[in-house]
Amino acid sequence: MKPDTHWTLDDVPWDAFDPAKVEPDQLAIVKAAAMVEYNSADYVSYLQSVFRDDPGFMEAAAAWGLEERQHGQALGKWAALADPGFDFETRFAVFRAGFRPDVDATESIRGSRAGELVARCMVEVGTSSYYRALGDAAREPALKAICRYIAGDELRHYKLFYDHLKRFLEQDKIGTLQRLRLAMGRIMETEDDELAYAFYAANNQGEPYDRERNSRAYMRRAYQYYRDPHIEKALAMIFKACGLKPHSKLFQATSYGAKWLLAKRQRELAKMAA
């Protein structure tokens, strides 16, 4: 990965693509992830509306959106290589027709701009850990490289939103407890309609949409790749955004609990699929 410059699609080692190393579970969730990443324009519009009097943030949000869209392009191109019958633009149109986020608000749906930035940090925690976990598990060289590039972007995006969060904390007067509530609320939204419908739009064979079934199908495939280091890194980022000290006794206890809960969820999802 280039440490000081942003990557492009040409940096991906497409010539190294090895169809024999494509795993079906990874292909299914990559198709879904491509839908979500490519759909960044709606979120840019929302953020620019919420921060409409902050030109610096608006410019940063636009750049963020372009990078997110490129993630979708890279993942979509890889999925089409792995499955020549996958028509990314057609599937994305299905996704757009069936899922549109509520982005018409002119004020943050999190109650304050600092709250909005806490939520954005949580999104980047989730995506950076997801692509790190998927990249560590992937055997296919092009996918491994794409995940490495995207995980690096998502870490930078976390820092972007965290740096702006620090500007707004004093102004909006939200403390650690409120930040924790906002963070946990956003994390719980991971299993909402967006990912479920993205999985459906990317993978359905003509069957009607079933939110619960598609959510479970996505989560079963995605959760299986997480290991302890991914959880520990994500939790450290969550603690930092909430004003807590990573690697404290509270962190250690929370880390133990998070790993236990993830393992339990992995078992539950696997049992449902059996």
Side-chain angles (χ1 to χ4, degrees):
M1 183 190 299
K2 299 177 180 180
D4 299 318
T5 59
H6 189 251
W7 60 284
T8 71
L9 294 183
D10 291 338
D11 294 314
V12 177
W14 301 111
D15 290 345
F17 176 77
D18 186 349
K21 294 181 178 178
V22 173
E23 297 184 12
D25 279 355
Q26 292 174 3
L27 176 58
I29 59 175
V30 165
K31 289 177 178 179
M35 305 284 116
V36 176
E37 297 279 356
Y38 198 60
N39 197 37
S40 62
D42 280 344
Y43 296 101
V44 172
S45 177
Y46 165 71
L47 288 172
Q48 289 187 331
S49 180
V50 171
F51 292 89
R52 56 192 174 277
D53 61 346
D54 191 326
F57 183 86
M58 291 178 68
E59 182 179 354
W64 165 82
L66 291 176
E67 292 186 3
E68 294 292 307
R69 186 172 177 85
Q70 181 179 281
H71 298 170
Q73 292 172 321
L75 294 167
K77 181 174 179 178
W78 182 86
L81 281 176
D83 175 9
F86 178 67
D87 185 329
F88 176 65
E89 291 294 345
T90 297
R91 292 286 185 163
F92 182 69
V94 172
F95 175 61
R96 288 280 293 176
F99 177 84
R100 295 296 299 271
D102 181 11
V103 295
D104 294 330
T106 56
E107 304 296 334
S108 172
I109 61 174
R110 310 294 172 182
S112 68
R113 290 192 286 189
E116 184 64 46
L117 291 166
V118 170
R120 296 315 312 174
C121 284
M122 293 308 102
V123 173
E124 305 305 332
V125 168
T127 53
S128 63
S129 60
Y130 168 77
Y131 289 109
R132 185 182 172 202
L134 181 57
D136 287 347
R139 296 185 305 117
E140 200 293 302
L143 178 60
K144 185 174 283 291
I146 291 168
C147 289
R148 186 175 70 246
Y149 281 126
I150 296 178
D153 280 352
E154 305 297 15
L155 284 173
R156 285 192 300 101
H157 295 165
Y158 171 88
K159 186 178 185 303
L160 165 72
F161 291 123
Y162 179 74
D163 287 345
H164 284 282
L165 168 63
K166 290 188 291 185
R167 292 200 297 120
F168 284 95
L169 280 174
E170 185 173 350
Q171 173 184 317
D172 291 339
K173 307 295 183 186
I174 67 170
T176 296
L177 187 58
Q178 189 173 355
R179 287 155 75 179
L180 274 170
R181 284 198 295 264
L182 287 162
M184 291 304 102
R186 184 61 186 87
I187 290 169
M188 293 302 292
E189 292 172 20
T190 300
E191 298 187 21
D192 66 6
D193 266 331
E194 182 173 29
L195 283 171
Y197 201 82
F199 185 85
Y200 169 77
N203 294 285
N204 84 86
Q205 301 300 317
E207 69 275 12
Y209 175 58
D210 181 315
R211 179 190 180 280
E212 290 300 321
R213 183 165 61 83
N214 282 277
S215 180
R216 288 195 303 269
Y218 177 85
M219 293 301 165
R220 178 184 67 78
R221 289 166 174 83
Y223 282 9
Q224 67 181 308
Y225 300 117
Y226 285 88
R227 300 293 181 264
D228 286 359
H230 308 133
I231 301 304
E232 291 163 3
K233 176 67 173 177
L235 193 59
M237 294 166 70
I238 292 169
F239 265 51
K240 182 178 179 180
C242 293
L244 298 170
K245 292 182 178 179
H247 313 304
S248 60
K249 289 183 177 179
L250 176 61
F251 176 86
Q252 293 172 356
T254 307
S255 179
Y256 178 85
K259 293 171 187 175
W260 182 86
L261 285 171
L262 176 63
K264 179 174 181 289
R265 185 66 170 141
Q266 288 170 331
R267 291 192 298 271
E268 290 173 347
L269 289 165
K271 185 177 180 180
M272 289 177 187

